[in-house]
C-alpha cells in the first residue's frame, strides 16, 4: 500500500450521480491479517440510502447524515399500539414518514443471517424478474437492471441498480435518492518512519463534497488498555430442593467478586484513512418506462426512394399509410436476442415476436427485402426500433405482395412457408411409422418451434451459411433417425453397415424399388453432402452436393436457402406418400 491508497483521493473524486451503477445499500469489507498485528490491511465501504420528495430536501440536508441513513439504519416495519409503519417508509421520528426505502432488511434469527430485499414496487414498476443474483428486464432484451452481491457467509454485501433505470423510477414518483456512505482504509505497519506513510501526518479536511480524516496511532493504544470484571451471584438457593423459590436479594444472600487487569503489548502503527459523504441522485423529469413519457431519442426511418427519412414519432400512427423496407439480415439480428421468435403465416409473410409482447408482421418482397407497415415498427420499444433502423434501406422491389394481400385486401394468401411444411412432413412421417410399423422413427423428440428458429431461409446469407443450414437440416432429420429400429425392417444385404439415410432409403425401396427410392433421396443425399462440406466450403465436391440438393445457384442466397428447405421437405413428403399413400409413380405425386 502507499500514500495514494490511504488518502483515497481518486475514490473521493468519483460521484455516483454520474456513475453507471448506483449502490442502494452496501457493506463490503476486504481484510488481510489480524487487526491487532503489525502486518494488517483492510478496506471497507458502507452505504445506505432512502428516497425523498422535493419538500423534504432541505430538511434531509440539514438533519440526516451517515448515522441516520448509513448502513446502521435498520430498514424494518414497526407496529405501534395505535398504528403501523410499513417497511417501505423512512421515518425520521416515530409516526413521521418522510421518505421511501428502496432496499429492505430482513433479519432471520431462527435460521441465521439476514437478507436485503429490493423494494417490490420498484421491481414491478420496472418489470423486473430475478435471475440468480441479477434483476433483469425482459422487455429490454433481459438487460441487467439491478444486481446483488453476496459475501462468503451468503449474506448480502451490496445491492446496486443501473442509473438509467433508477432515474426513470424516481421521475415517475418525483423522488430524489439520498446516499450516505463511508470509506475506510487501514494498514498496520511495524514502524511509521520506515513505511510508505513516513511523510504523512494526522489531519482533517473537507474534500470533494465530503469529509476526510487521517489517523495515525499506535496499535497498542487502539486495542490495548485496562479491563475490569464484576461478578455477582445468589448464595441462598438449595440445589437439592424440588422447587426452590428465591426471595428478594440483599447483602446476606448475595456474593460478589471483581477483578481487573491490563492487556496490551501490541506492536506497530495503525494508519487509517476515513471518508464520509452524502450525495443526491436526482431524476431528469423523464420516465419512459414507468410513466410512459415520450422518448425524444427515437430513430428516423427511410420512407421514400430518394432516401427521405421520417422520425419514428411521426410514424407512430395506425393510419400512417406507409411501409418500411429492411435488409433480410434484420431477422437474424432480432432472433439473436433472447426471447425473440419467428412465426410464419404464409409462404412469404410471418412475424417476429419480441419480449415486449409485440408481433411485428412482415413480408418478403421480390428484392428479398423485408417490408413492414411503418406503425408496427414505430410502436415498438425504443431499443427494438434501433435494431430495425440499423437494417433500414430505401424502398426497392415494392411491398410484399402477400403482405399487401393480408393488410390491405384482407385476403391472406393461401400459401405455406417451406419451414412449416418441412416440420409438418417430418411429423406426418413419424406418425405413420408408428401406426404401420409400431416403431419410433426418431430416437428423440425436438421442439419444432424452437428448431425452426435455426432451420430458416434467413440463415442462408452466403455459401458458408447455406452449408450450415444444410447441417441443421441433417441434424433435425437424418441424425435423429432410429438406426436400430430401421435395421430391423431393412432388407439390404449390408444393412449393418448402412447409415441412417441409406437405411430409410432401403425401407422405401421395398415399396417403390431401388431406382425410385434413390431418386427420392437424391436431394436429401445432396443436403447431407453439403453438411460434410461445411468444414471445407470450397471445391468441386461442394458444388456437386449443392447441385444434387436441387439448388439453383443463380438465385440469391436467401432463395437458395428457401429452395434447400423446400427440396428437403418435399423429399420427406415423397417418402411418406410412397410408403403410406396410393401412387408409386414419382410423376403422379406433387407436394
Amino acid at each position: 500500500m502507499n500514500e495514494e491508497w490511504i488518502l483515497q483521493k481518486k475514490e473521493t473524486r468519483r460521484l455516483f450521480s454520474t456513475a453507471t451503477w448506483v449502490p442502494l445499500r452496501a457493506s463490503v469489507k476486504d481484510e488481510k491479517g489480524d487487526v491487532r498485528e503489525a502486518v494488517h490491511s483492510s478496506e471497507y465501504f458502507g452505504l445506505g440510502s432512502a428516497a425523498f420528495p422535493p419538500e423534504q430536501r432541505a430538511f434531509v440536508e440539514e438533519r440526516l447524515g451517515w448515522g441516520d441513513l448509513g448502513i446502521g439504519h435498520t430498514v424494518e416495519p414497526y407496529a405501534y399500539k395505535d398504528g403501523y409503519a410499513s417497511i417501505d417508509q423512512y421515518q425520521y421520528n416515530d409516526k413521521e414518514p418522510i421518505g421511501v426505502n428502496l432496499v429492505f432488511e430482513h433479519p432471520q434469527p431462527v435460521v441465521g443471517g439476514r437478507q436485503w430485499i429490493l423494494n417490490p414496487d420498484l421491481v414491478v414498476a420496472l418489470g423486473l424478474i430475478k435471475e440468480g443474483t441479477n434483476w433483469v428486464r425482459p422487455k429490454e432484451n433481459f438487460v441487467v437492471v439491478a444486481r446483488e452481491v453476496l459475501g462468503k457467509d451468503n449474506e448480502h454485501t451490496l445491492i446496486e441498480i443501473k442509473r438509467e433505470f433508477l432515474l426513470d423510477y424516481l421521475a415517475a414518483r418525483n423522488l430524489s435518492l439520498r446516499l450516505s456512505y463511508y470509506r475506510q482504509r487501514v494498514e498496520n505497519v511495524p514502524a511509521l518512519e520506515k513505511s510508505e506513510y513516513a511523510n504523512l501526518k494526522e489531519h482533517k479536511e473537507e474534500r470533494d463534497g465530503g469529509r476526510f480524516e487521517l489517523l495515525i496511532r499506535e496499535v497498542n493504544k487502539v486495542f490495548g488498555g485496562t479491563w475490569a470484571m464484576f461478578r455477582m451471584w445468589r448464595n441462598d438457593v438449595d440445589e437439592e430442593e424440588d422447587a426452590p423459590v428465591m426471595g428478594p436479594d440483599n447483602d446476606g444472600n448475595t456474593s460478589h467478586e471483581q477483578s481487573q487487569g491490563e492487556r496490551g503489548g501490541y506492536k506497530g502503527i495503525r494508519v487509517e484513512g476515513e471518508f464520509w459523504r452524502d450525495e443526491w441522485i436526482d431524476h431528469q423529469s423523464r420516465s419512459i418506462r414507468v410513466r410512459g413519457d415520450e422518448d425524444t431519442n427515437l430513430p428516423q426511418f427511410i420512407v421514400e426512394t430518394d432516401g427521405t427519412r421520417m422520425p419514428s414519432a411521426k410514424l407512430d400512427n395506425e393510419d400512417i399509410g406507409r411501409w418500411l423496407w429492411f435488409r433480410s439480415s434484420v431477422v437474424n439480428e432480432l432472433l439473436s436476442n433472447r426471447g425473440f421468435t419467428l412465426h410464419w403465416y404464409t409462404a412469404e409473410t410471418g412475424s417476429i415476436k419480441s419480449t415486449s409482447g409485440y408481433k411485428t408482421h412482415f413480408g418478403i418482397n421480390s428484392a428479398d427485402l423485408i417490408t413492414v407497415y411503418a406503425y408496427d415498427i414505430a410502436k415498438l420499444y425504443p431499443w427494438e426500433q434501433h435494431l430495425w433502423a440499423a437494417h433500414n434501406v430505401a424502398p426497392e422491389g415494392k411491398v410484399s405482395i402477400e403482405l399487401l394481400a393480408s393488410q390491405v385486401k384482407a385476403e391472406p394468401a393461401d400459401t405455406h412457408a417451406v419451414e412449416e411444411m418441412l416440420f409438418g412432413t417430418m411429423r406426418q412421417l413419424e406418425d405413420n411409422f408408428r401406426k404401420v410399423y409400431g416403431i419410433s422413427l426418431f430416437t428423440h423428440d425436438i421442439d419444432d418451434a424452437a428448431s425452426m428458429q435455426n432451420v430458416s431461409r434467413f440463415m442462408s446469407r452466403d455459401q458458408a451459411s447455406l452449408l450450415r443450414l444444410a447441417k441443421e437440416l441433417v441434424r433435425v432429420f437424418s441424425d435423429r433417425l432410429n438406426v436400430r429400429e430401421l435395421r430391423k425392417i431393412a432388407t439390404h444385404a449390408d444393412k449393418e453397415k448402412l447409415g441412417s439415410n441409406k437405411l430409410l432409403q432401403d425401407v422405401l425401396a421395398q415399396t417403390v424399388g431401388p431406382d425410385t427410392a434413390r431418386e427420392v433421396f437424391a436431394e436429401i443425399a445432396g443436403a447431407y453432402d453439403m453438411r460434410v462440406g461445411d468444414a471445407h466450403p470450397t471445391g468441386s465436391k461442394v458444388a456437386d452436393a449443392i447441385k444434387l440438393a436441387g439448388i439453383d445457384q443463380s438465385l440469391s442466397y436467401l432463395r437458395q436457402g428457401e429452395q434447400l428447405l423446400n427440396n428437403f421437405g418435399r423429399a420427406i413428403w415423397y417418402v411418406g406418400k410412397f410408403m403410406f399413400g396410393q401412387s408409386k409413380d414419382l410423376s403422379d405425386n406433387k407436394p
Side-chain angles (χ1 to χ4, degrees):
M1 309 304 176
N2 52 39
E3 285 188 15
E4 183 180 2
W5 180 80
I6 202 73
L7 294 177
Q8 308 181 42
K9 289 187 176 181
K10 285 185 178 180
E11 288 73 18
T12 62
R13 286 197 295 266
R14 300 170 188 157
L15 294 172
F16 289 115
S17 59
T18 57
T20 302
W21 290 91
V22 177
L24 297 176
R25 191 169 180 84
S27 182
V28 184
K29 189 168 188 177
D30 182 18
E31 190 170 25
K32 298 177 182 177
D34 191 310
V35 69
R36 293 164 296 185
E37 300 294 331
V39 180
H40 161 81
S41 65
S42 67
E43 183 170 2
Y44 176 78
F45 174 67
L47 178 144
S49 68
F52 299 93
E55 59 269 21
Q56 298 292 348
R57 191 180 187 99
F59 177 85
V60 170
E61 291 177 350
E62 180 183 351
R63 299 288 185 87
L64 305 185
W66 169 250
D68 308 285
L69 290 170
I71 197 65
H73 167 56
T74 302
V75 186
E76 292 181 305
Y78 190 81
Y80 302 99
K81 290 184 178 180
D82 57 348
Y84 183 83
S86 62
I87 194 170
D88 65 314
Q89 295 180 357
Y90 178 89
Q91 296 202 3
Y92 176 65
N93 289 319
D94 290 349
K95 303 179 183 180
E96 188 180 347
I98 63 172
V100 178
N101 295 311
L102 298 188
V103 174
F104 307 155
E105 191 170 14
H106 184 194
Q108 299 176 331
V110 176
V111 298
R114 57 171 173 73
Q115 285 188 349
W116 294 349
I117 302 172
L118 196 60
N119 190 320
D121 185 76
L122 183 149
V123 170
V124 176
L126 290 174
L128 308 183
I129 62 172
K130 188 77 175 289
E131 288 190 342
T133 56
N134 292 333
W135 290 94
V136 301
R137 179 172 161 87
K139 290 183 178 180
E140 290 189 55
N141 199 24
F142 293 85
V143 61
V144 177
V145 174
R147 56 193 183 189
E148 304 173 0
V149 177
L150 303 178
K152 295 179 181 179
D153 54 2
N154 209 38
E155 291 190 0
H156 285 90
T157 61
L158 173 67
I159 292 185
E160 56 185 351
I161 185 170
K162 195 167 284 187
R163 179 169 162 265
E164 173 189 0
F165 296 88
L166 171 64
L167 298 188
D168 193 296
Y169 177 76
L170 292 175
R173 298 193 61 175
N174 194 25
L175 298 172
S176 293
L177 186 69
R178 184 65 163 178
L179 307 179
S180 185
Y181 49 95
Y182 167 73
R183 296 183 186 274
Q184 179 199 52
R185 284 179 174 173
V186 175
E187 183 173 9
N188 295 350
V189 295
L192 185 65
E193 60 274 9
K194 296 180 180 180
S195 72
E196 296 282 349
Y197 313 116
N199 297 323
L200 294 180
K201 294 183 179 180
E202 285 192 341
H203 68 276
K204 299 178 182 180
E205 62 175 315
E206 300 294 321
R207 184 210 296 173
D208 300 322
R211 176 169 57 89
F212 179 82
E213 183 173 355
L214 181 68
L215 298 172
I216 302 175
R217 296 170 291 176
E218 294 180 4
V219 175
N220 195 60
K221 289 186 177 180
V222 176
F223 298 103
T226 59
W227 59 268
M229 182 179 71
F230 185 83
R231 173 173 169 257
M232 177 179 287
W233 67 94
R234 293 290 290 262
N235 56 29
D236 60 344
V237 177
D238 185 353
E239 297 176 3
E240 297 300 323
E241 286 189 28
D242 292 333
V245 177
M246 289 193 302
D249 61 272
N250 53 56
D251 292 343
N253 60 20
T254 60
S255 302
H256 70 274
E257 66 177 12
Q258 64 181 33
S259 57
Q260 62 183 22
E262 185 173 346
R263 62 183 176 188
Y266 303 114
K267 305 296 183 182
I269 302 297
R270 177 185 171 97
V271 183
E272 179 179 2
E274 297 178 291
F275 180 74
W276 296 263
R277 180 162 60 199
D278 301 318
E279 182 181 347
W280 285 107
I281 305 294
D282 293 315
H283 63 77
Q284 298 171 350
S285 302
R286 187 177 65 176
S287 176
I288 298 169
R289 299 169 182 87
V290 180
R291 195 166 57 201
D293 294 351
E294 180 182 354
D295 190 339
T296 57
N297 296 315
L298 294 176
Q300 294 187 339
F301 293 92
I302 302 172
V303 295
E304 299 286 359
T305 56
D306 62 359
T308 299
R309 295 175 179 269
M310 285 182 65
S312 173
K314 290 188 177 181
L315 296 173
D316 191 10
N317 185 331
E318 194 168 1
D319 299 322
I320 190 63
R322 289 181 178 272
W323 282 264
L324 300 175
W325 282 252
F326 303 90
R327 290 185 293 272
S328 61
S329 56
V330 69
V331 176
N332 289 334
E333 173 79 10
L334 293 168
L335 292 179
S336 67
N337 293 284
R338 178 182 170 190
F340 279 67
T341 52
L342 169 64
H343 301 270
W344 289 99
Y345 300 142
T346 68
E348 301 289 335
T349 68
S351 68
I352 300 291
K353 184 178 180 180
S354 71
T355 51
S356 64
Y358 289 119
K359 289 184 178 180
T360 305
H361 195 175
F362 69 84
I364 307 172
N365 73 0
S366 59
D368 293 342
L369 295 177
I370 300 295
T371 56
V372 183
Y373 193 60
Y375 170 71
D376 290 341
I377 298 295
K379 70 182 181 181
L380 295 173
Y381 278 96
W383 76 275
E384 291 182 54
Q385 291 191 39
H386 284 287
L387 288 181
W388 282 92
H391 299 265
N392 184 214
V393 296
E396 181 184 354
K398 300 181 174 54
V399 178
S400 166
I401 294 175
E402 292 194 359
L403 185 65
L404 287 177
S406 175
Q407 294 183 329
V408 178
K409 298 179 180 180
E411 296 178 353
D414 187 18
T415 59
H416 302 279
V418 295
E419 291 84 353
E420 288 197 331
M421 289 193 294
L422 167 68
F423 284 87
T425 55
M426 282 196 294
R427 287 295 178 192
Q428 188 176 32
L429 184 63
E430 180 184 26
D431 292 342
N432 285 329
F433 256 84
R434 186 175 291 108
K435 291 176 183 177
V436 175
Y437 291 101
I439 67 171
S440 296
L441 179 61
F442 299 115
T443 56
H444 60 276
D445 200 11
I446 58 172
D447 184 332
D448 290 358
S451 298
M452 208 178 298
Q453 308 306 307
N454 295 320
V455 182
S456 160
R457 72 191 78 176
F458 296 113
M459 293 297 169
S460 179
R461 303 177 301 277
D462 49 31
Q463 181 169 295
S465 56
L466 176 65
L467 298 180
R468 286 194 293 273
L469 178 57
K471 189 173 184 178
E472 287 296 320
L473 266 178
V474 172
R475 183 183 64 81
V476 299
F477 181 75
S478 304
D479 290 352
R480 291 196 304 128
L481 288 174
N482 195 337
V483 172
R484 181 179 177 181
E485 294 295 334
L486 288 175
R487 282 199 177 116
K488 292 178 181 180
I489 59 176
T491 59
H492 196 282
D494 294 325
K495 65 180 183 180
E496 295 300 325
K497 299 179 181 179
L498 297 181
S500 58
N501 286 338
K502 289 295 185 181
L503 282 170
L504 184 57
Q505 180 179 323
D506 179 68
V507 175
L508 174 62
Q510 297 172 28
T511 303
V512 299
D515 292 338
T516 301
R518 188 181 307 108
E519 186 178 355
V520 169
F521 268 83
E523 291 165 337
I524 294 178
Y528 188 87
D529 291 344
M530 289 172 64
R531 171 224 195 177
V532 176
D534 178 39
H536 306 282
T538 60
S540 59
K541 289 185 177 180
V542 171
D544 291 342
I546 293 175
K547 183 177 180 180
L548 183 61
I551 298 173
D552 182 356
Q553 291 190 271
S554 67
L555 300 174
S556 67
Y557 282 108
L558 178 73
R559 296 303 175 182
Q560 288 185 45
E562 181 184 21
Q563 197 170 47
L564 172 63
L565 299 177
N566 177 76
N567 295 349
F568 198 98
R570 182 178 60 191
I572 297 173
W573 184 85
Y574 275 132
V575 172
K577 184 67 175 177
F578 287 166
M579 292 184 66
F580 309 111
Q582 300 297 322
S583 175
K584 306 299 186 288
D585 186 347
L586 196 62
S587 62
D588 292 341
N589 296 273
K590 299 295 180 183

